[in-house]
């Protein structure tokens, strides 16, 4: 006789397939509150939130949202759309191919966070809650109601993994902690995929055009935020809004569409980027644009070394400095020790060749090292370059680099009679100096992307990946590891030198302090490596997006003063915790970091 023992269910204990929200409210009421709260949030942005125009954005106008109200309006609209889609409204099902409850939670959280941040900012800046108009109180109330309703929606709790009763106490502790974490995480996840009919090719191409247009609009809005409060609100809505779109399945769907039309996507991305200077009335934000492109191009070159070949290089910024110094010495600067003024194409070749030579000279004796040892050697090279450039001042050594003063008064480029230092009128638009260099840097970025794509898909690219995955196994299969790694090092160094030639002319001056291992502003080796890891190693779009964020966010967070790096570092920690594969995930890398989703973590034991 077999006796079956059942354990009574404890209240509040998660079980497999159990569906309930985080708060005790019927799901249909929660969905109604979330959807209605989102609609009322949109309506509340047309009311005045404060009585005085002293708060930036002028939130005193009825019937016309301004400043932070626009961001709340967008978050409220997303909440409403996801709420209607979760009801199965005809025509909105495509908005939630992976299910709408998780997306609705994050959209409601975005509206709530942006609204309450605005209320706190108004009270702190103007001196108390008395400065709020009734519209502000209404907005705060309806967003809170929408968030509470969203948190009442059901979610699928993951079934607990079986564990061996003979495991140690530590193994059981880890198992229990993992299950508790999965339960909390499941509150903001959705696991009910919904099939979406395939679209014709022309419709997918139109979707790609729309995605690129939205990306350009978001980037232009973010880089053009005129005051600190607006940029913080932009980060809140953009971050949580992107997460909502991801939970809805729209990001995965867009990734599949762009992968099927990769060439069209790449060409369209460069066309969209080329439209950026035409959206600016002056060079104020075009300046940030050209520096972002320089930083992004160098990060993409580093991605060959780190992302494809798996070589940890902590002194990569030195190759950028070698290219900049080499180009500045032959471009007609009066402080250069050489009386040369080569045309741009020749200066580019000199800068890239100098970086390539230094890459080979440094890589040849050191690339037989692996891991941390190679990282320490490359870190030393970066410091040696900076100290050497400081000492070549005519006192401590030969007069080559002018020491800490650097090489200054580097003239603007003149390419085929086109002076890049003056403004030009193109089609009724005035293109200033930094916009000229933006187009030039965009062309160089296209060359680097082409090199990355062709090399990554080639035989040498597959050898890089093999070395990265398991160097010992690659060597056993006949791959010449030293030669393959040296090629990666040389190619990455030459691409950094290529970007350095343009940087020298953009900044007018090249000094050793521009090429540190770490600092408060990029480019430096630490930020370059963070851009590759944050964006997504082994991808093209990843380092470009990561570099743009890592350059733009510190530039906009300068008002935090001493807390700038703290806030920035906290954001990086959270992002790496919840998305360790990067913003744009390489498929292999994603599987490595999320093995628990692909295979069972434990094997069941059978006995006689």
């Amino acid at each position: 006789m077999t006796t079956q023992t059942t354990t009574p269910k404890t209240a509040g204990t998660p079980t497999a397939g159990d569906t309930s929200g985080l708060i005790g409210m019927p799901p249909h009421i929660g969905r109604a509150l979330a959807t209605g709260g989102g609609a009322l949030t949109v309506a509340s942005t047309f009311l005045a939130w404060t009585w005085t125009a002293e708060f930036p954005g002028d939130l005193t106008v009825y019937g016309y949202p301004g400043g932070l109200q626009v961001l709340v309006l967008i978050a409220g609209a997303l909440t409403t759309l996801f709420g209607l889609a979760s009801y199965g409204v005809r025509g909105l099902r495509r908005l939630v191919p992976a299910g709408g409850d998780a997306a609705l939670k994050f959209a409601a959280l975005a509206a709530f966070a942006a609204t309450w941040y605005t209320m706190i900012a108004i009270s702190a800046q103007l001196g108390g809650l008395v400065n709020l108009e009734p519209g502000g109180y209404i907005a705060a109330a309806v967003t809170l109601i929408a968030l509470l309703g969203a948190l009442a929606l059901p979610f699928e709790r993951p079934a607990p993994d079986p564990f061996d009763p003979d495991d140690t106490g530590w193994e059981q502790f880890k198992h229990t902690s993992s299950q508790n974490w999965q339960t909390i995480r499941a509150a903001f996840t959705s696991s009910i995929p919904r099939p979406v009919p395939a679209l014709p090719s022309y419709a997918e191409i139109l979707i790609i055009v729309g995605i690129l247009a939205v990306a350009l609009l978001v980037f232009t809005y973010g880089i053009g935020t005129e005051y600190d409060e607006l940029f913080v609100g932009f980060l809140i809505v953009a971050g949580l809004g992107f997460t909502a779109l991801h939970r809805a399945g729209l990001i995965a769907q867009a990734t599949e569409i762009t992968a099927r039309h990769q060439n069209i996507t790449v060409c369209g991305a460069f066309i969209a980027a080329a439209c950026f200077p035409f959206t600016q009335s002056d060079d104020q934000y075009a300046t940030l644009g050209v520096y972002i492109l320089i930083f992004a191009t160098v990060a993409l070159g580093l991605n060959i070394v780190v992302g494809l070949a798996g070589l940890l290089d902590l002194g990569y910024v030195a190759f950028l400095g070698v290219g900049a110094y080499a180009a500045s010495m032959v471009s007609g600067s009066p402080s250069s020790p050489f009386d040369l003024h080569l045309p741009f194409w020749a200066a580019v070749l000199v800068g890239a060749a100098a970086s390539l030579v230094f890459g080979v000279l440094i890589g040849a004796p050191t690339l037989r090292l692996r891991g941390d040892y190679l990282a320490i050697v490359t870190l030393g090279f970066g410091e040696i370059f900076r100290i050497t450039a400081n000492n070549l001042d005519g006192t401590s050594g030969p007069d080559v680099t002018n020491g800490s003063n650097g090489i200054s008064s580097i003239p603007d480029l003149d390419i085929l009679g086109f002076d890049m230092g003056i403004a030009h009128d193109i089609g009724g638009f005035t293109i200033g100096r930094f916009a000229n260099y933006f187009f030039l840097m965009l062309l160089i970025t296209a060359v680097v992307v082409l090199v990355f794509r062709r090399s990554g898909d080639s035989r040498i690219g597959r050898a890089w990946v093999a070395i990265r995955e398991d160097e010992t196994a690659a060597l056993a299969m006949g791959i010449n590891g030293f030669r393959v790694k040296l090629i990666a090092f040389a190619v990455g160094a030459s691409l950094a030198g290529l970007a350095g030639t343009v940087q020298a002319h953009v900044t007018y001056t090249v000094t050793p302090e521009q090429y540190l291992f770490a600092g408060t502003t990029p480019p430096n080796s630490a930020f370059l490596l963070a851009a590759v890891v944050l964006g997504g190693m082994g991808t093209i779009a990843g380092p470009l997006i990561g570099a743009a964020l890592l350059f733009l966010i510190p530039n906009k967070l300068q008002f935090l003063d001493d807390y700038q790096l703290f806030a920035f570092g906290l954001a990086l920690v959270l992002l790496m915790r919840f998305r360790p594969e990067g913003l744009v995930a390489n498929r292999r890398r994603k599987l490595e970091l999320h093995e628990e989703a692909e295979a069972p973590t434990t094997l069941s034991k059978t006995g006689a």
Side-chain angles (χ1 to χ4, degrees), residues 100-110 147 150-155 186-189:
D101 287 350
L104 181 56
K105 290 181 177 73
F106 278 99
L109 181 60
L147 179 62
L151 293 178
L153 296 179
F155 60 89
F188 286 92
T189 58

Side-chain angles (χ1 to χ4, degrees), residues 230-314:
L230 183 61
F231 182 72
V232 175
F234 168 77
L235 288 181
I236 293 173
V237 174
L240 294 175
F242 179 85
T243 306
L245 296 176
H246 172 68
R247 295 300 186 189
L250 292 177
I251 301 299
Q253 194 175 66
T255 302
E256 293 178 3
I257 293 175
T258 54
R260 287 196 291 267
H261 306 277
Q262 194 171 24
N263 292 331
I264 294 177
T265 302
V266 172
C267 294
F270 279 101
I271 293 174
C275 294
F276 169 72
F278 296 102
T279 64
Q280 307 300 311
S281 57
D282 53 39
D283 266 3
Q284 179 182 0
Y285 300 118
T287 305
L288 292 177
V290 68
Y291 284 123
I292 287 174
L293 277 183
I294 293 173
F295 187 30
T297 303
V298 180
L300 191 58
L302 178 61
N303 197 26
I304 293 179
V305 180
V306 177
L308 294 183
L311 306 174
L312 185 56
D313 189 348
L314 298 181

Side-chain angles (χ1 to χ4, degrees), residues 115-186:
T115 302
W116 282 66
Y117 164 74
T118 305
M119 300 302 120
I120 294 173
I122 291 175
S123 302
Q125 183 169 333
L126 301 182
L129 295 174
V130 69
N131 294 283
L132 295 177
E133 286 285 284
Y137 291 106
I138 293 174
V142 295
T143 53
L144 177 60
I145 292 173
L147 179 62
L148 293 177
L151 293 178
L153 296 179
F155 60 89
E156 291 289 338
R157 287 190 172 97
D161 295 330
F163 62 90
D164 187 359
D166 297 329
D167 281 342
T168 64
W170 169 245
E171 293 297 328
Q172 293 190 24
F173 171 76
K174 290 196 300 182
H175 171 80
T176 305
S177 300
S178 174
Q179 294 306 314
N180 292 338
W181 168 248
Q182 290 178 14
T183 300
I184 297 173
R185 184 180 179 184

Side-chain angles (χ1 to χ4, degrees), residues 318-328 347 350-352 354-355 496-498 500-501 504:
F319 297 121
L320 175 69
V322 170
Y325 266 104
S328 63
V350 169
S355 295
L498 188 66
T501 59

Side-chain angles (χ1 to χ4, degrees), residues 75 230 327 462 544:
L230 183 61
R462 293 193 294 272
L544 300 178

